[in-house]
Amino acid sequence: MATISFGLDVVISKFQRANLWVYDALEGYLALQYFSWVLYHMGLMMVSAGVAKYISPQAAGSGIPELKVTLRGVVLSEFFTLRTGLAKLVGVVCTLAAGSTVFLGKVGPFVHMATILATQLGRVMVRVAGSSENPARKYEMLVAGAAVGVACCFVAPVGGVLFSVEAMGSHFAVRDYWRGFFAATCAALTFRLLPLVHGQSETVAVLFSTSWRVEFPYDLPELLSFALLGLVCGALCCLYLFCHRNLLLLLQDWPLSRHLLSRNQILYAGLVTLVLASITFPPGLGQYLGARLTMKELLETFFNNCTWGDRGELGGLNSSRQPSPPPVPDPWLQWSHPQLSALEMLSFFILAKFFLLLLATTMTVPAGYFLPVFVYGAGLGRLYGELVARLFPEGIVSDGIRIVITPAAYALAGAAAYSGAVTHTLSTALLVFELTGQMSHILPVLVAVLVANALSQRCQPSFFDGLIILKKLPYLPKLRVGQSGAHDIYAEDFMVTDLKFLPRRCQYKDIRGLLKSSSLKQFPLVDSQESRILLGSIRRKHLAKLLSEQLSTEKRFQYLLSQSEATSVPELVPGETGTLCAVEKAAETPEAAAEPGDGEALMEEEPGTRLSVKMKNMHHLAEQWECQQLQEQMPLEQLPIDPAPYRLLEKETLHQCYDLFNLLGLRTAYVTNVGRLVGVVGLRELKAAVEGSVKGTFARRRPHGGELQEGDLEPSGAAA
C-alpha cells in the first residue's frame, strides 16, 4: 500500500504539472486558458464517475461508512473484491489529479483499498494453510488494513492506528493493537524510504517540516485562546455537518437531481466540476483562493512560520494583478495580492471553500473527505492565528514573560480540531504531530480538539455516521455516556413478542405455513408449542431446502408411476410419446379402472374431453400425494441446527444489550425466561430503543405490540 501511495503521488504530480504547463503556454489567450482549465478537470471527474458507475458501484465514496458497517458484522457484497479495488484506484487517481479545484482527498479510498488487499491476503493464506476462513482473523486483517490506509497518507503509524479505532470500530480488541502498529509502521517507513530511492529527498524526514519554537507554550492565556479556537471549529463543524446532510436529502427529494444521481452520475459530475472549475479559474475568483496550489502546498503555506498580517513579510510583494505562479520554493506567495491583504484573501478562501466542498461531496466518485476538512481546518486556524497576532502584535504578556503569537501553531490546532470534530475523533491531534514533528504545542492542540469534539458530538452525528444514516445502512447509533434511561430500560420493554417459531415435533405442513406467513431468515426451534423451551435456531434456507426435497418433482412422478402400476395400467410406450402415455395412464384412478363399461364410453368421446378428464384425475391424485407428504413429521437430524443462538434475559438493560450487540456483532438475540422463549430483539428494535432513550421519547412496548420485518432476523455473529 505504501508503494501504491507513493506511485500515485508521482503520477498525480505529473498530471497537475502538465495541466499548469498547458495553462501557462496559453498565456494571452484567456478563452483558451479557460477551456483547457475546465476541460482538464471535467474530463478527470467524469472518468472517475464512469469508473464508479460501470466497473464497480461499490467504489464510489470514501468507503469508511461501509467499512464501519462491515466491522459491525454486516456482510456487504462485492465490497472487498479486486474489481472494486481496481476501480477505486483508477477513480481516486482522477479525483486527486483534479487538485484543490475539486478539493477532495485520498484517506478514505486508501483505507478501503488497504482493507481490500488485507481481505485478499487473508484468502490467500487460507488457501495456502488449507484451513477454513476465520471471522476473527478477517476482522483483525481489516483493522490492520484500516491503520495501514491512514499511515500511507499521513506517514503517521500511531495516529493511523488510533484514527482507525476511533473512526471505524465500535470496539477494539487489545490483541489487535500490535498487529495494527506493526503494519502501519511498515507502511509509514516504506513510504518515507521510497523518496530516498527515487531521489526526491536526502534523508527520512517528516512530511511537513516546521522551524518555529515556543519556549512557554502552556501559559493560561494561550490555552484560553486555543480553547476559543476549538469552540469556533466545533461551531462551524456543526453547521457544515447540518448543511451537508440536508443538502443530500434535498438532492434525493428533488426529481431532477435524483434522476441525475441515480442514472446520470457522469453528467452530474461533469456539471458540478464545471461550476467548481469556473469559480476557481485563476484569472477570476481563483486568484483569491490559491487555485494553482495543490492540497499539499496549501498545507505548507498554512504551516509556514511567517506572519501574513505583517506587511513587511507578505504584503506588497507582488505588484501585478495576477498572483505569482507556483514554481515554488515559496508557494505561500500565492496569498499576496496588490489590492487585497492576505487576511482578506484567507477569509474569502474559508467562506468559498465551505460551500464548494459541500457541492463537491455530492458527486458519486471515489474520493476521500478527511483531507479536505483537514486542510480547511488548517486554513481556519491560520486565519484565527493571524487575527490574534494582529490583536496582540507584541505578543501576550503573562507574569512578566512575553509570549510571541505563532499563527502556524493555530493552523496545526485548527486542522486537528476541525477534522476531529467532523469525524468525532481525538487522534487527529497525534496526526498533526506526526505530520510536522512539532510537539511543543501538544497541550494547546489537545485543548482545541477536546473543545471542538465536545460541541460537535453533542449537536451532530459525525460525517461518516451521517452517511450511514442517509444510505440506510444497518448500524447502531451512539449511546451517549450519562444517559440514565439506558439503565432503566429492559429487554422486555422493547422486545418483539409476536413470535414465529417451530416446535420440535412438527410436520412438513407446519414448515410450509411458517415459510408462507413470514419472510424471516431465521426461526427459533422450541421444545413444544406449550413449553416454548428454546432449543436452537434454524435458517430459512435450510427449511426451504428440506421442504423442496420432500415435495420434489422426482418423488411426485415416482408416486404417480407406482399408482399406475398398482391399477394394472399397461406399460409405457417407448418413443417420443412415452411421457404423454405415462401422464395419461397415471391419471386413471382405481375407481375408473374397476368399471369396464366406462372405458368404452371414454373411447367414444372426443380426444380433448378424454385428456381433460384424465388430467383432472391426475391432478387430484397429485394433491392426495402432496397431502400425505405434508402430514409426515420433520426429521430434525437432517437439519443443521444452531444449538446456541445468543440469548438475553428479560431484565437485561438497554445498555447491556447495546454493548453485547456491538461486541459480538449480533443482528438478533432471543429473550428467554428460565429457558422459555418469550421474545426476540433485532437490530431494528435495539436501534429504535437507543434513539428513543437518547431523545427521551422511548415508549415501553405493550405485549404483542410488535412484529419483526423482513431481514430483521439474520444469523447472529455468535451463531455464525
Side-chain angles (χ1 to χ4, degrees), residues 179-244:
R179 297 176 172 91
F181 278 124
F182 178 76
T185 302
C186 291
L189 183 60
T190 305
F191 188 77
R192 295 313 298 155
L193 289 176
L194 285 173
L196 293 178
V197 178
H198 199 256
Q200 294 184 356
S201 62
E202 298 179 356
T203 183
V204 176
V206 294
L207 205 59
F208 299 97
S209 59
T210 55
S211 58
W212 37 273
R213 296 179 180 179
V214 179
E215 297 180 1
F216 303 98
Y218 308 131
D219 200 74
L220 182 59
E222 187 90 8
L223 292 180
L224 292 177
S225 179
F226 277 91
L228 182 58
L229 172 61
L231 189 64
V232 172
C233 290
L236 193 59
C237 167
C238 292
L239 179 61
Y240 171 76
L241 293 175
F242 175 80
C243 294
H244 175 261

Side-chain angles (χ1 to χ4, degrees), residues 259-513:
H259 176 77
L260 288 174
L261 287 172
S262 60
R263 298 184 180 181
N264 297 285
Q265 297 96 327
I266 300 176
L267 177 60
Y268 180 81
L271 293 176
V272 170
T273 309
L274 174 62
V275 175
L276 297 176
S278 300
I279 293 176
T280 58
F281 183 52
L285 295 178
Q287 62 184 310
Y288 311 115
L289 297 172
R292 295 179 60 110
L293 299 178
T294 64
M295 302 282 275
K296 182 179 179 180
E297 289 170 345
L298 284 173
L299 282 177
E300 289 176 348
T301 60
F302 295 146
F303 295 157
N304 192 280
N305 193 30
C306 72
T307 302
W308 294 2
D310 189 347
R311 283 288 177 179
E313 293 191 24
L314 188 62
L317 290 178
N318 187 16
S319 59
S320 62
R321 174 66 179 172
Q322 299 296 329
S324 56
V328 249
D330 294 321
W332 55 276
L333 293 179
Q334 287 289 317
W335 300 103
S336 62
H337 196 275
Q339 298 180 2
L340 294 178
S341 67
L343 295 185
E344 292 172 337
M345 293 180 64
L346 193 53
S347 300
F348 182 71
F349 174 87
I350 296 300
L351 179 63
K353 285 298 182 181
F354 182 88
F355 296 101
L356 295 181
L357 181 57
L358 284 174
L359 184 60
T361 54
T362 62
M363 292 187 290
T364 310
V365 295
Y369 308 120
F370 178 79
L371 186 59
V373 296
F374 190 84
V375 176
Y376 185 86
L380 181 62
R382 183 75 194 207
L383 176 62
Y384 181 89
E386 293 289 346
L387 292 175
V388 173
R390 180 72 65 89
L391 292 174
F392 302 96
E394 302 298 327
I396 299 176
V397 179
S398 177
D399 296 332
I401 300 175
R402 179 174 172 268
I403 303 174
V404 179
I405 302 299
T406 308
Y410 288 92
L412 286 180
Y418 190 78
S419 58
V422 170
T423 57
H424 288 186
T425 57
L426 302 177
S427 56
T428 52
L430 286 176
L431 285 177
V432 298
F433 298 143
E434 291 183 279
L435 276 174
T436 61
Q438 181 60 250
M439 301 295 293
S440 59
H441 275 73
I442 183 170
L443 184 58
V445 171
L446 284 175
V447 168
V449 172
L450 287 172
V451 173
N453 261 275
L455 181 59
S456 175
Q457 293 189 29
R458 180 68 180 176
C459 300
Q460 295 289 335
S462 72
F463 182 86
F464 301 126
D465 288 343
L467 290 178
I468 289 175
I469 295 172
L470 290 172
K471 294 180 179 181
K472 299 180 180 178
L473 298 174
Y475 193 77
L476 288 175
K478 287 185 178 180
L479 188 60
R480 293 178 184 170
V481 179
Q483 291 288 340
S484 59
H487 298 280
D488 299 329
I489 300 174
Y490 302 99
E492 62 182 359
D493 298 327
F494 57 88
M495 68 182 183
V496 174
T497 55
D498 186 12
L499 300 174
K500 304 292 184 181
F501 56 85
L502 199 63
R504 183 178 62 176
R505 293 182 178 85
C506 64
Q507 299 174 338
Y508 281 96
K509 65 177 182 180
D510 299 325
I511 298 178
R512 187 167 74 167

Side-chain angles (χ1 to χ4, degrees), residues 512 546-553 556 625-626 629-630:
R512 187 167 74 167
L546 184 65
L547 182 62
S548 64
E549 291 177 353
Q550 182 70 3
L551 301 178
S552 65
T553 306
R556 190 185 305 269
W625 171 84
E626 186 174 311
Q629 294 292 103
L630 293 176

